[in-house]
Amino acid sequence: MFSRQFAVGAVLAAIAASSFAQEKVLNLYSARHYQTDEALYADFTKATGIKINRVDGDDAGILARLKSEGASSPADVILLVDAARLWKAQSDGLFQPVKSRLLDERIPANLHSKEGSDGTQWFGFSTRARVIVYNKTSVKPEDVDTYEALGDPKNKGKLCTRSGSHPYNVSLFGALLEHDGAAKTEAILKGMVANQARQPVGGDTDQIKAVGSGECGVAISNSYYVARLLRSTKPEDVALMEKVGIVWPNQKSYGAHVNIAGGGVAKHAPHKAEAVQFLEYLASDAAQRYFAEGNNEWPAVKSVKTENPALVKMGPFKAEVINIGAVGANQQKVLQMLDRVGYK
């Protein structure tokens, strides 16, 4: 009797072990913290049967954890926000190159790391622009229609920004380095310091509010912060955006700076096939629309159109066309410039 029960138990255990072994999983380390991404992940699991185990944190925390875990890290996919952070992860050896015809065809070449003989390290899956916002009462849009104008003496005492060393600004200044060269970029940064209405403080939304209140005449913001306020029905937000104008910078030259949120396959991914499948899913029409409708980001895939009312209202614009990986690689030079000109 005992041996029969033991045998049955062994069979059931074997079946359970087999089922567990066949369960497909994906370990995702994500610095994206947007509620709408929940539906994005749920749809992937529904479509593929692959369960997502998620580790959330800010970009610095994710990178620190990956370096601490080393070769024993269970991470399959790493999602980060901003080209500077993606480049940092690549330079720290945290990604592995992948080859995917689908990703190569769907994601524009300037929105992913430079392709090597063994594949591509990371891809951008959504984009956001760095726009200029201004007070409609005190500033003329033609006086602030380029990034370079923010360092012009005519805007002295008007400029507000978040910290110059924040990755959003480091990437913008890294793009300026590509467009304008080192000497001119440093001169622009020096002029921006001279034009500050106050010491850099707060995030992008704080800069927009400071412009609306009149504390500042002009500021820089990622486009999705502006879009959130435009979509808001709160009376205070509606009133704020009636006072704030939006400029698409450098439309007569190289175009507005565009950054990305993106990711790649982790260096020691135990589930590489599932990881590549997930990245390819992020490039699908359905996932691209989630980025646009849910978090006010533009799709990286050019063929996908958005019906997001705020993005439509902000209108079409000319975007820069430079390799976003090169922008990320400029960050050390930019940080040195910021230190020299005293941009806090």
Side-chain angles (χ1 to χ4, degrees):
M1 182 70 176
F2 175 80
S3 59
R4 180 181 178 185
Q5 289 177 335
F6 180 82
V8 172
V11 170
L12 292 175
I15 293 173
S18 176
S19 298
F20 180 79
Q22 293 176 5
E23 183 183 31
K24 293 184 177 181
V25 298
L26 176 78
N27 299 318
L28 172 64
Y29 280 31
S30 177
R32 290 182 62 91
H33 48 80
Y34 314 119
Q35 290 183 350
T36 50
D37 286 355
E38 298 293 338
L40 185 75
Y41 303 144
D43 280 4
F44 173 74
T45 297
K46 183 178 180 180
T48 64
I50 299 173
K51 177 186 175 183
I52 296 180
N53 300 318
R54 206 163 87 233
V55 172
D56 292 323
D58 60 21
D59 296 81
I62 292 292
L63 296 182
R65 177 166 180 159
L66 285 163
K67 285 189 278 189
S68 175
E69 291 173 341
S72 62
S73 175
D76 294 309
V77 170
I78 307 166
L79 294 184
L80 300 171
V81 178
D82 194 274
R85 289 156 169 164
L86 286 160
W87 183 87
K88 182 67 167 60
Q90 178 182 348
S91 65
D92 287 343
L94 300 179
F95 290 120
Q96 63 172 290
V98 299
K99 290 187 176 182
S100 165
R101 177 181 293 181
L102 186 150
L103 290 172
D104 288 341
E105 291 176 350
R106 302 271 295 172
I107 306 298
N110 66 302
L111 297 183
H112 59 67
S113 65
K114 292 183 178 179
E115 185 176 0
S117 58
D118 51 356
T120 304
Q121 298 264 346
W122 49 263
F123 298 85
F125 293 105
S126 61
T127 67
R128 61 279 297 277
R130 205 89 177 113
V131 301
I132 293 173
V133 295
Y134 66 95
N135 185 287
K136 292 179 180 179
T137 301
S138 62
V139 173
K140 297 177 181 178
E142 59 268 27
D143 287 340
V144 291
D145 61 357
T146 67
Y147 298 117
E148 291 81 358
L150 300 180
D152 191 295
K154 66 185 174 184
N155 289 312
K156 189 173 181 62
K158 298 179 181 178
L159 177 64
C160 284
T161 72
R162 70 194 303 162
S163 170
S165 61
H166 188 278
Y168 296 166
N169 283 337
V170 170
S171 289
L172 167 60
F173 303 149
L176 291 184
L177 192 56
E178 290 292 302
H179 296 301
D180 293 332
K184 185 175 179 180
T185 298
E186 187 159 340
I188 294 166
L189 296 178
K190 185 175 182 179
M192 291 176 69
V193 172
N195 288 348
Q196 288 173 352
R198 55 161 168 72
Q199 286 289 316
V201 64
D204 283 4
T205 301
D206 298 307
Q207 313 312 314
I208 300 170
K209 290 180 178 179
V211 167
S213 71
E215 181 182 4
C216 316
V218 61
I220 317 169
S221 173
N222 270 357
S223 52
Y224 64 87
Y225 291 105
V226 177
R228 284 179 191 172
L229 290 168
L230 288 173
R231 294 183 77 174
S232 175
T233 57
K234 295 180 180 178
E236 61 269 27
D237 292 339
V238 173
L240 170 64
M241 297 313 290
E242 288 176 351
K243 300 174 183 177
V244 174
I246 305 163
V247 170
W248 287 108
N250 298 80
Q251 295 302 281
K252 295 179 181 179
S253 57
Y254 51 77
H257 168 59
V258 171
N259 210 323
I260 60 170
V265 177
K267 177 71 173 179
H268 305 288
H271 309 102
K272 183 177 179 179
E274 288 81 3
V276 174
Q277 188 174 354
F278 180 72
L279 295 184
E280 291 178 341
Y281 163 75
L282 294 183
S284 69
D285 284 7
Q288 289 287 296
R289 290 194 186 96
Y290 268 119
F291 292 132
E293 309 306 325
N295 196 48
N296 305 303
E297 300 170 273
W298 278 278
V301 178
K302 292 182 178 180
S303 61
V304 177
K305 305 302 179 184
T306 176
E307 297 180 359
N308 182 314
L311 297 183
V312 171
K313 184 176 181 178
M314 292 174 73
F317 66 97
K318 178 182 178 181
E320 66 183 1
V321 183
I322 55 176
N323 185 269
I324 198 70
V327 170
N330 283 340
Q331 63 180 305
Q332 193 57 44
K333 293 179 181 177
V334 168
L335 291 172
Q336 292 170 352
M337 287 183 181
L338 294 172
D339 187 56
R340 286 197 293 269
V341 303
Y343 198 144
K344 303 299 182 182

